[in-house]
């Protein structure tokens, strides 16, 4: 004989008694709402609804736990909604499982999962994609297990504050590069509908007030070379050449005669031609590291290549005129290497492939020391000098912008539309003399 179905009205009093004295596995059915019942579990009561789907299969959906997620009244309303779905031909259990699957999928898209999955595949097709991946992985290590959608403004502000509070804090621009890399990942995920939208959209790092030493560094970073500094630079390059030749002579005379002599070479290595080309063209370091002989047209005195910094949104090559002095440097360097027509202009002496982005740091430090130039003068100052001298000589800003390969002329206006003190003084004096009243 089948056991009698325990049917009662599921009130707070009944539920409290069941919670205290009920047997694990016991079901108590509501006397007013068909299918609505409660099941006694270890340490808890679960509200459930039993029903038949459109295929005639008996199904049970769990609504929640008594006291923990809902009371008797809330459970009854949830049961009514579930039964309403059943009456319309839907399956509440299936809907619940699909919702849970979506939540699991959403939570599985942590920063680490997306970084090591889809974003790695994307960045592997980019020139410095591996560097970008390393930067995000290192600088946001504590966020790797966070779901992408959960990142907030508070997270960003705390990250920046923690970085700035370190014993040796990194420069703001360094932090910004890392944050921009993370931001690009979130944009990538949003565009592919992995997350509804970028949770950090419109959120920027707070630029700190510049201290006196920061102002000095900023002034150094965006300045041109004075005449005596240009002279010192060229003397320093000559001194570098002589130093390297003497070092080689010393090596050859002390048991290393197998090393080739450097005495008759115009350029003992890549250092002088690299620096001279940056001085005469204003090219970014990356574009010089990526420069190939195929890019150079000696007859037309031009270089035609894709600018690396803007290649992600503009892959059209640009053509740059080359001065006679820059062309002379290239011809000498080309002849020293057997007049190649293909390959990198400045290949790695170890691998023959592209040089590492840090390969000019030590040589530049040596040249500065030999030149007597300031220790904190960055090599990038050669590019700023190129633009500044053009502006001071009267070249229009649009032309300067094109020669600098700026994506927007506003960049040129913001950073290079300044004149030397002597030049501005001449302009003011010229204006005052237009009408000679006093």
């Amino acid at each position: 004989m089948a056991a009698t179905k325990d049917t009662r009205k599921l009130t707070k009093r009944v539920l409290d008694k069941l919670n205290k004295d009920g047997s694990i596995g016991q079901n108590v059915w509501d006397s007013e709402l068909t299918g609505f019942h409660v099941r006694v579990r270890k340490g808890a009561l679960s509200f459930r609804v039993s029903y038949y789907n459109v295929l005639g299969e008996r199904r049970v959906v769990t609504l929640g736990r008594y006291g923990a997620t809902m009371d008797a009244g809330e459970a009854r309303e949830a049961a009514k909604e579930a039964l309403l779905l059943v009456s319309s031909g839907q399956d509440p259990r299936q809907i619940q499982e699909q919702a849970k699957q979506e939540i699991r999928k959403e939570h599985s898209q942590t920063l680490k999962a997306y970084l090591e999955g889809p974003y790695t595949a994307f960045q592997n097709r980019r020139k410095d994609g591996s560097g970008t991946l390393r930067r995000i992985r290192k600088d946001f290590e504590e966020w790797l297990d966070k779901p992408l959608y959960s990142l907030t403004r508070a997270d960003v502000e705390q990250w920046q504050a923690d970085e700035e509070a370190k014993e040796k804090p990194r420069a703001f621009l360094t932090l910004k590069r890392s944050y921009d890399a993370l931001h690009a990942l979130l944009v990538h995920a949003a565009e592919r509908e992995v997350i509804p939208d970028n949770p950090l959209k419109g959120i920027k790092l707070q630029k700190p007030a510049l201290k006196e030493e920061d102002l000095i560094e900023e002034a150094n970073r965006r300045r041109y070379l004075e005449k005596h500094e240009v002279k010192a630079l060229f003397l320093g390059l000559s001194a570098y050449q002589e130093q390297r030749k003497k070092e080689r002579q010393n090596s050859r005379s002390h048991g290393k005669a197998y090393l080739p002599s450097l005495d008759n070479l115009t350029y003992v290595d890549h250092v002088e031609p690299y620096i001279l080309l940056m001085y005469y063209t204003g090219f970014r370091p990356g574009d010089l590291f990526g420069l190939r002989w195929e890019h150079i047209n000696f007859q037309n005195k031009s270089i035609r290549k894709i600018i690396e910094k803007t290649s992600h949104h503009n892959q059209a090559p640009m053509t740059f005129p080359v001065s006679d002095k820059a062309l002379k440097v290239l011809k000498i360097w080309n002849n020293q290497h057997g007049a190649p027509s293909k390959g990198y202009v400045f290949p790695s002496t170890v691998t023959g492939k592209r040089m590492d982005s840090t390969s000019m740091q030590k040589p530049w430090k040596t040249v500065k020391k030999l030149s007597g130039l300031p220790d904190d003068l960055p090599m990038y100052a050669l590019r700023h000098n190129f633009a500044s001298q053009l502006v001071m000589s009267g070249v229009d800003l649009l032309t300067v912008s094109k020669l600098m390969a700026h994506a927007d002329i506003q960049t040129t206006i913001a950073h290079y539309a300044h004149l030397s003190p002597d030049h501005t003084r001449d302009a003011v004096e010229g204006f005052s003399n237009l009408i000679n009243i006093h």
Side-chain angles (χ1 to χ4, degrees), residues 124-137:
N124 282 343
R125 296 190 294 271
R126 301 173 70 84
K127 180 176 70 69
D128 191 33
S130 59
T132 299
L133 295 171
R134 284 195 303 272
R135 179 184 289 273
I136 296 173
R137 191 177 294 109

Side-chain angles (χ1 to χ4, degrees), residues 66-86:
Y66 175 56
T69 58
M70 57 180 58
D71 59 26
E74 292 168 335
R76 190 177 299 277
E77 290 303 313
K80 288 178 181 179
E81 292 177 6
L83 292 170
L84 187 62
L85 289 172
V86 173

Side-chain angles (χ1 to χ4, degrees), residues 11 14 188 265 279 289 379:
T11 62
V14 170
H188 185 273
L265 295 180
Y279 177 84
F289 285 128
M379 184 181 288

Side-chain angles (χ1 to χ4, degrees), residues 304-315:
R304 181 172 174 79
K305 75 182 301 288
I306 296 171
I307 297 304
E308 297 189 2
K309 185 176 182 179
T310 56
S311 61
H312 59 286
H313 61 74
N314 181 16
Q315 296 189 353

Side-chain angles (χ1 to χ4, degrees), residues 221-253:
R221 201 171 68 84
R222 293 196 180 276
R223 75 173 180 88
Y224 56 87
L225 302 181
E226 300 290 350
K227 288 182 179 179
H228 72 275
E229 290 179 316
V230 173
K231 184 177 180 180
L233 172 65
F234 280 79
L235 289 174
L237 288 172
S238 296
Y240 175 85
Q241 293 282 118
E242 291 305 311
Q243 178 176 287
R244 292 283 287 115
K245 288 179 179 180
K246 288 179 180 178
E247 289 172 349
R248 178 56 57 87
Q249 290 169 1
N250 187 54
S251 295
R252 283 168 56 84
S253 63

Side-chain angles (χ1 to χ4, degrees), residues 57-182:
E57 301 168 332
R58 185 175 180 277
R59 304 273 279 174
V60 176
V61 61
T62 300
L63 304 175
R65 288 185 299 166
Y66 175 56
T69 58
M70 57 180 58
D71 59 26
E74 292 168 335
R76 190 177 299 277
E77 290 303 313
K80 288 178 181 179
E81 292 177 6
L83 292 170
L84 187 62
L85 289 172
V86 173
S87 66
S88 65
Q90 300 183 68
D91 189 333
R93 173 74 176 273
Q94 185 180 29
I95 293 173
Q96 187 183 75
E97 289 174 347
Q98 288 174 343
K100 287 181 179 179
Q101 186 177 356
E102 285 300 315
I103 291 173
R104 284 195 296 270
K105 179 181 177 182
E106 194 173 66
H107 279 269
S108 71
Q109 287 297 351
T110 60
L111 174 57
K112 181 179 180 180
Y114 196 72
L115 180 69
E116 295 181 352
Y119 207 57
T120 290
F122 171 72
Q123 286 293 343
N124 282 343
R125 296 190 294 271
R126 301 173 70 84
K127 180 176 70 69
D128 191 33
S130 59
T132 299
L133 295 171
R134 284 195 303 272
R135 179 184 289 273
I136 296 173
R137 191 177 294 109
K138 178 182 177 183
D139 289 348
F140 300 98
E141 183 178 4
E142 294 183 1
W143 293 5
L144 291 178
D145 292 327
K146 282 178 172 282
L148 294 175
Y149 70 89
S150 72
L151 299 176
T152 65
R153 180 189 296 273
D155 289 326
V156 175
E157 291 175 347
Q158 186 61 54
W159 175 78
Q160 183 178 2
D162 291 343
E163 289 292 331
E164 291 173 346
K166 289 182 176 179
E167 186 176 350
K168 292 184 178 180
R170 291 178 293 172
F172 173 77
L173 290 178
T174 302
L175 295 181
K176 185 176 182 299
R177 278 194 292 273
S178 294
Y179 178 67
D180 287 347
L182 174 71

